[in-house]
Amino acid sequence: MSKVIAIEGGYKLNGTVRISGAKNATVALIPAAVLADGPVEILGVPEISDVEALAILLRELNCDVSIKGDSIRLDPSQMEDIPLVSDAVNKLRASYYFMGALLGKYKRVKIKMPGGCYLGPRPIDLHLKGFKALGANITYDEVEETYLLEADELVGHSIYLDFASVGATINILLAAVKAKGRTIIENAAKEPEIIDVTNLLTKMGAHIRGVGTDTITIDGVEHLHGTFHEIIPDRIEAGTFLIIAAAAGEKVIVQNVIPQHLEALISKLKEMGVQMDVVGDSIIVYGPQKPLKPVHVKTQIYPGFATDLQQPLTTLLTQADGKSSVKETIYIERFLHCEQLNKMGAHIDVDRASSAIYGPTKLHGARVQATDLRCGAALIIAGLIGEGKTEIMNVYHIDRGYDNIDQKLITLGAHITRYEIDA
Ligand code: EPU
């Protein structure tokens, strides 16, 4: 059986939607918390399947976990150094944060290759380069597809990242917070989720400076203690709802947003002619404005235009009057959504790391595949504005990262159902 999201298009959305805690912060905060010697409570946890998979991994490590509403409480005091080789590792990319966290905690970790969305090649060479620089010996077992990382001790070192990778920056931080001496990460990533993770680590007693700049300095400490933390709002979920509102809304208030995290998207939407007001931690979108103007988007590391938002924005660009383009510089193969949108009547050409979107095109319902999480979001938007019924398959991708998206949209007036089919 396979889950389907079915959308009857053409209903105008109105009302308020509250954004959940950031998925990409959550999936790093949970592994980070195991570095503590006592209980850590994290609030604002989104209800997504990536969190369920992380909870399975924590229990495999004998870490006490309880999830109540949007709060997770972890008590790592009885945790053990057990290899992470179950299928739960493959369910999400972020299981690789246990590499840094367990290496930092036990100086040893055995873990399967991580899973996650297919966005083209996703190497982890920079993570490994960082662990090696700190003193880890790394072996990879091709038969078992597992990494073994071991060190007699971890010693601080200078590490230059050839690319400002989010994952490598966080993973090296996790391994370095309890290493001996000073670690310096140069050309570090600056995404808000990294700042959130360092805020938790600092509350746990870590000594970290420079986060949010190119250079992060970590002075290792012997012990980290339990604490309490609230996750920042999800800028990608917020951005997705801004695009949804621009495409299918009349007046939609997107609440619990840090507008500074969304500057690149907000300026592109304004360039397209979308009307918005930023009021404190809410953004009010008045839509749909017609005609929308075409724009050219190039994805970049933060604070540039987020790669995670180019897929949902592409659906809105199908409604702009003229030729728009998207150039990917982060994941050059992140264009599988275009073929699905074309099945719904879009006219998009993909050439190497770019797409050209010719609009406006009238979209219609079809049976389409969510090939990855943000493709799923792009298809939901297409379903909301398309004529007739859209059936989205491979819903598990969407459930990995969007907290109750159907329910949030239904509250705004969308006509959405879920069911299972034989597939
Ligand atoms: N890269 C390497 N070597 C490495 C690490 C990365 O070549 O060791 C390359 C990647 O192949 C990619 C680029 O560097 O081309 C960026 O990768 P990065 O490490 O920055 O991304 P990530 O940590 O794997 C996180 C988010 C992604 C988001 C990217 C970029 C999580 C769990 N994932 O991935 O989120 O697209 O940063 O902002 O935080 C999503 O939410 O849909 C998603 C895919």
Side-chain angles (χ1 to χ4, degrees), residues 23-25 27-28 50 92-97 117 119-129 161 163-170 189 191 193-194 234-236 300-302 306-309 311 328-332 334 372-375 400-402:
K23 164 199 166 252
N24 287 345
V27 296
D50 271 10
L92 76 165
R93 184 86 192 143
S95 48
Y96 63 25
Y97 289 133
C117 290
L119 308 175
R122 298 181 79 177
I124 58 166
D125 54 309
L126 298 172
H127 305 231
L128 301 179
K129 174 179 162 178
L161 297 180
F163 181 86
S165 151
V166 174
T169 302
I170 295 179
E191 272 68 3
E193 293 75 21
I194 297 170
D234 194 315
R235 65 192 166 100
I236 307 301
Q300 276 165 333
I301 54 174
Y302 186 81
T307 169
D308 299 338
L309 287 171
Q311 292 167 289
E328 252 299 342
T329 73
I330 312 290
Y331 293 113
I332 54 172
R334 199 172 195 171
D372 57 83
L373 170 60
R374 310 299 171 188
C375 166
R400 282 194 34 231
Y402 284 99

Side-chain angles (χ1 to χ4, degrees), residues 136-250:
N137 183 38
I138 302 171
T139 47
Y140 181 66
D141 183 327
E142 287 187 12
V143 180
E144 288 185 11
E145 297 185 335
T146 53
Y147 281 101
L148 176 64
L149 281 66
E150 284 177 300
D152 293 333
E153 62 172 0
L154 294 172
V155 182
H157 207 278
S158 272
I159 297 152
Y160 176 84
L161 297 180
D162 305 298
F163 181 86
S165 151
V166 174
T169 302
I170 295 179
N171 235 340
I172 295 167
L173 264 162
L174 297 178
V177 280
K178 291 185 78 181
K180 258 196 184 156
R182 175 167 290 185
T183 299
I184 299 175
I185 309 176
E186 288 182 275
N187 196 29
K190 300 180 197 143
E191 272 68 3
E193 293 75 21
I194 297 170
I195 301 178
D196 208 27
V197 173
T198 53
N199 283 343
L200 169 70
L201 291 169
T202 303
K203 287 186 213 166
M204 285 160 58
H207 290 178
I208 305 169
R209 280 175 294 122
V211 67
T213 75
D214 290 331
T215 307
I216 301 179
T217 306
I218 307 130
D219 285 310
V221 293
E222 273 187 32
H223 296 287
L224 293 171
H225 51 76
T227 189
F228 167 87
H229 183 75
E230 186 162 359
I231 304 169
I232 54 168
D234 194 315
R235 65 192 166 100
I236 307 301
E237 187 198 10
T240 303
F241 272 98
L242 294 183
I243 297 166
I244 287 172
E250 280 173 342

Side-chain angles (χ1 to χ4, degrees), residues 79-100:
M79 233 177 84
E80 289 167 74
D81 164 22
I82 294 169
L84 289 178
V85 291
S86 75
D87 289 345
V89 180
N90 295 122
K91 293 228 164 93
L92 76 165
R93 184 86 192 143
S95 48
Y96 63 25
Y97 289 133
F98 281 112
M99 276 189 175

Side-chain angles (χ1 to χ4, degrees), residues 57-121:
L57 293 176
L58 290 169
R59 291 189 180 111
E60 285 177 10
L61 291 165
N62 210 19
C63 175
D64 192 58
V65 192
S66 58
I67 301 178
K68 279 194 194 120
D70 73 347
S71 137
I72 187 167
R73 186 180 182 279
L74 285 81
D75 186 350
S77 46
Q78 304 302 316
M79 233 177 84
E80 289 167 74
D81 164 22
I82 294 169
L84 289 178
V85 291
S86 75
D87 289 345
V89 180
N90 295 122
K91 293 228 164 93
L92 76 165
R93 184 86 192 143
S95 48
Y96 63 25
Y97 289 133
F98 281 112
M99 276 189 175
L102 297 179
L103 183 66
K105 193 174 175 85
Y106 298 115
K107 316 283 172 272
R108 182 179 195 281
V109 52
K110 186 173 179 184
I111 186 166
K112 247 195 192 168
M113 266 300 276
C117 290
Y118 180 78
L119 308 175

Side-chain angles (χ1 to χ4, degrees), residues 285-337:
V285 185
Y286 306 93
Q289 301 295 322
K290 288 210 170 131
L292 287 169
K293 295 189 202 89
V295 291
H296 302 287
V297 176
K298 184 175 174 185
T299 65
Q300 276 165 333
I301 54 174
Y302 186 81
F305 193 96
T307 169
D308 299 338
L309 287 171
Q310 64 91 347
Q311 292 167 289
L313 187 71
T314 296
T315 308
L316 186 64
L317 294 176
T318 67
Q319 303 307 298
D321 192 9
K323 180 184 169 188
S324 298
S325 67
V326 172
K327 182 164 176 50
E328 252 299 342
T329 73
I330 312 290
Y331 293 113
I332 54 172
E333 292 180 26
R334 199 172 195 171
F335 288 102
L336 297 179
H337 58 293

